[in-house]
Amino acid sequence: RTPMRAMAITPEGNRLIYAGPSENSVSQLFIRPLDAFEVEPLEGTEGAYRPFVSPDGSKVAFFAEDELRVMSLDGGSARTVVAAPNPRGGAWLDDQRILYLDREGQRTWSVNISSANARPVRVDEPVDEYGNSIDLIEQMYPTPNKQGLLTTAFFGGERSPALVVYEPDSSEIREVMQLPVFAQAMSDTLVYVMGNDLLAVDYDMNSMTISGTPRRVGTDLRRDGSVPQFVLSETTLIYATGAPYRQRQVARITPDWQVVKTLISPDKFRSLAVSPDGQWLAATLYQGNNDIWLYSLANGTARRLTRGGDNYHPMWSDDGDTVY
């Protein structure tokens, strides 16, 4: 699947909910009180991903098998709220309403979860001053005063992406920062992503503005694809660590489905192609621009094949003598 945020935290900051592998290797939700090391699986959440918690901290919503589901954090059965084909994320607007995206993020809906036969309502996308629709990414987090959602907006024309507060009822957009960031906020602090670092800056909840000098509060942040794995409450910041942004490890999969690491050092790889004799790997490597590199699968040594321009998507000839 497309990389998804895997963690959620209760508003009190005392319980972590996350998606991880179950005993039968499918994803499942787990819950851990932060004053203990024991982790409990949430039964009935097989296949779950992208969890998010209700404002009162009593329930968790998640996606599984193309459905939006809700269940109590104290146990019980998960309830299907509505079908959600290829969902990309959601957020709790208030105690009763959830905003979610489906169809690979192409449509946005609002649904009242208190209704036994919930009917989602299509939410219109906001537009800029020229009438162009503004694309909103699936990373959405309620503002501390519950007046809107923090998200990143992509404007038409030459404008850079910006962190905005989005009011879904009115489609109003209020800009907070001129950076393509992922951010979450509590009442007086906003935490956002810069590369593999987490930075914090003073935030006024009422005016929705930032001030002061940013300060680093976390390093080595894990990002799955571009999705950063961190959650924030009024008292607690939790983040997962991982490889530098876009850095990938090349591995091979054996006929019996075992994953074996290679001697090729992790780097910013894109497209890969193995030579016909299985001895060499041609790969697109991004280092300011795209170039093709050749790697020995026997010992991991590398040599650069192209220099200058924009070179990508290597393909081998049948005899293995030429790379296109």
Side-chain angles (χ1 to χ4, degrees):
R1 284 188 176 272
T2 302
M4 294 288 180
R5 184 165 57 91
M7 302 191 297
I9 193 170
T10 55
E12 300 84 1
N14 59 355
R15 291 193 286 181
L16 174 70
I17 299 94
Y18 65 92
S22 65
E23 291 183 355
N24 57 1
S25 299
V26 299
S27 63
Q28 182 179 11
L29 295 186
F30 296 83
I31 185 167
R32 179 193 155 184
L34 295 186
D35 59 357
F37 284 107
E38 290 74 19
V39 174
E40 293 290 336
L42 286 174
E43 301 298 335
T45 61
E46 287 76 11
Y49 63 96
R50 196 59 188 267
F52 51 101
V53 179
S54 62
D56 63 4
S58 66
K59 295 182 285 292
V60 62
F62 59 92
F63 299 100
E65 298 177 343
D66 285 344
E67 292 180 344
L68 170 63
R69 300 175 183 176
V70 173
M71 73 177 299
S72 170
L73 286 176
D74 294 325
S77 301
R79 176 172 68 92
T80 297
V81 177
V82 69
N86 298 321
R88 293 294 295 269
W92 229 293
L93 292 175
D94 50 46
D95 288 335
Q96 304 300 329
R97 283 194 305 161
I98 285 178
L99 192 78
Y100 68 94
L101 296 93
D102 65 5
R103 295 169 175 82
E104 298 295 337
Q106 298 302 310
R107 291 190 182 178
T108 307
W109 306 86
S110 174
V111 62
N112 188 324
I113 65 168
S114 63
S115 172
N117 297 304
R119 293 184 177 274
V121 177
R122 179 76 180 269
V123 177
D124 293 331
E125 291 183 343
V127 296
D128 62 18
E129 61 268 30
Y130 304 105
N132 301 314
S133 65
I134 300 172
D135 295 328
L136 300 174
I137 66 169
E138 61 268 21
Q139 297 290 322
M140 302 181 296
Y141 305 96
T143 56
N145 57 6
K146 304 299 186 290
Q147 297 302 305
L149 295 165
L150 273 169
T151 185
T152 301
F154 293 84
F155 301 89
E158 300 297 322
R159 289 201 56 193
S160 300
L163 178 68
V164 300
V165 174
Y166 167 53
E167 171 49 61
D169 291 333
S170 64
S171 294
E172 181 180 352
I173 290 284
R174 185 165 183 172
E175 194 168 312
V176 178
M177 294 178 70
Q178 258 293 319
L179 282 173
V181 295
F182 301 90
Q184 298 175 49
M186 50 185 173
S187 55
D188 61 358
T189 306
L190 184 141
V191 177
Y192 63 98
V193 177
M194 185 68 69
N196 284 92
D197 291 333
L198 284 169
L199 286 83
V201 67
D202 293 341
Y203 174 72
D204 187 299
M205 179 175 63
N206 297 315
S207 65
M208 302 179 190
T209 57
I210 60 173
S211 61
T213 303
R215 51 200 180 272
R216 184 184 290 116
V217 294
T219 60
D220 298 325
L221 172 69
R222 172 174 169 170
R223 296 177 70 169
D224 294 327
S226 63
V227 179
Q229 300 293 354
F230 80 100
V231 287
L232 183 71
S233 75
E234 283 293 322
T235 60
T236 308
L237 166 67
I238 297 177
Y239 66 97
T241 57
Y245 180 41
R246 291 188 176 179
Q247 190 170 97
R248 298 182 172 117
Q249 172 72 55
V250 175
R252 65 183 180 88
I253 301 175
T254 66
D256 58 348
W257 300 106
Q258 299 301 307
V259 178
V260 180
K261 290 184 178 180
T262 67
L263 295 174
I264 299 173
S265 299
D267 217 321
K268 295 181 179 179
F269 300 115
R270 294 178 61 189
S271 47
L272 310 175
V274 180
S275 62
D277 62 6
Q279 300 300 308
W280 293 90
L281 179 76
T284 302
L285 181 60
Y286 180 76
Q287 294 179 330
N289 60 286
N290 292 310
D291 273 307
I292 306 301
W293 286 66
L294 295 183
Y295 297 85
S296 167
L297 291 172
N299 56 30
T301 57
R303 67 182 181 91
R304 190 173 180 176
L305 192 65
T306 66
R307 293 180 182 274
D310 193 31
N311 311 283
Y312 54 93
H313 194 34
M315 294 174 286
W316 291 88
S317 61
D318 290 342
D319 58 13
D321 290 338
T322 306
V323 173
Y324 296 93

